[in-house]
Amino acid sequence: ARVLEIDDPHDLARARALAPLLDPAADPARPPGALPDRGAIDAVVMDFDGTQTDDRVLIDADGRELVAVHRGDGLGIAALRDAGLALLILSTETNPVVAARGRKLRVPVLHGVDQKDRALKQWCDENGIAPDRVLYVGNDVNDLSCFGLVGWPVAVATAHRAVRDAARAVTTAPGGSGALREIASWILGPTLAR
């Protein structure tokens, strides 16, 4: 099913038409290597678990949850904030660690959100941000509704397959291991100084 003999221009046209059905990354509307830059983005909205963490949770004897975050991600987020981009952490989880990370990064947090797309649309409206100028980074199927709303849906390397397939770009770094720093370098350049 993935092999097509090409003998003439009609066969080539047929192969190009079939390619996106077999491999979403082959979609000509989404050329390989196309990454967002500062001119295309006004806001970055981030899921928390699985994007800023590796999606694991440690639970201590008192039932408190602990997660690990990547310092490079914090540096990237600070650079995006300093560059004037609007930022938001959007999570379905209600967890003090999400709010604490938002305070540390000086990024607003909406958590305990059941309908992420509705909350994102309202946030965009309240802040005068066009959804097509938003980069949304996620990792699991509950992020797909937001992917359909924004101009730059981005998946981390360790995202669920359906999320990677729906993304306009996919990081090489896993969630919780520098994926957000990588995204910041797409937008601001490797030195984060644009």
Side-chain angles (χ1 to χ4, degrees):
R2 294 185 163 281
V3 176
L4 180 64
E5 185 175 333
I6 299 174
D7 296 318
D8 60 44
H10 298 293
D11 291 339
L12 182 58
R14 188 175 307 112
R16 285 184 175 146
L18 289 171
L21 299 174
L22 299 172
D23 181 5
D27 187 345
R30 194 169 55 178
L35 297 174
D37 61 25
R38 181 62 182 97
I41 305 295
D42 291 332
V44 175
V45 178
M46 303 155 278
D47 181 31
F48 186 75
D49 292 315
T51 59
Q52 297 186 51
T53 74
D54 66 3
D55 219 12
R56 294 183 307 151
V57 176
L58 302 175
I59 302 173
D60 72 10
D62 295 321
R64 289 179 299 221
E65 292 186 2
L66 305 168
V67 298
V69 295
H70 192 276
R71 289 195 184 273
D73 286 342
L75 179 70
I77 291 168
L80 292 170
R81 185 187 63 245
D82 293 347
L85 285 140
L87 301 172
L88 176 68
I89 296 171
L90 181 60
S91 178
T92 54
E93 288 287 324
T94 302
N95 191 323
V97 74
V98 180
R101 186 65 175 158
R103 281 190 305 274
K104 166 106 175 152
L105 296 172
R106 296 183 311 193
V107 173
V109 173
L110 293 176
H111 60 125
V113 174
D114 289 329
Q115 294 181 312
K116 292 173 98 173
D117 57 337
R118 196 175 283 187
L120 177 56
K121 176 76 171 103
Q122 182 177 347
W123 180 81
C124 286
D125 290 346
E126 289 171 357
N127 289 280
I129 298 168
D132 66 336
R133 307 253 328 144
V134 173
L135 183 151
Y136 180 93
V137 58
N139 75 304
D140 216 330
V141 295
N142 64 341
D143 296 309
L144 289 172
S145 63
C146 291
F147 274 30
L149 181 65
V150 302
W152 278 98
V154 174
V156 296
T158 47
H160 185 281
R161 169 79 188 232
V163 177
R164 290 191 319 267
D165 288 348
R168 190 167 174 187
V170 179
T171 65
T172 58
S177 295
L180 297 175
R181 170 62 174 84
E182 180 180 340
I183 291 167
S185 71
W186 295 348
I187 297 168
L188 302 175
T191 63
L192 302 180
R194 243 196 258 174

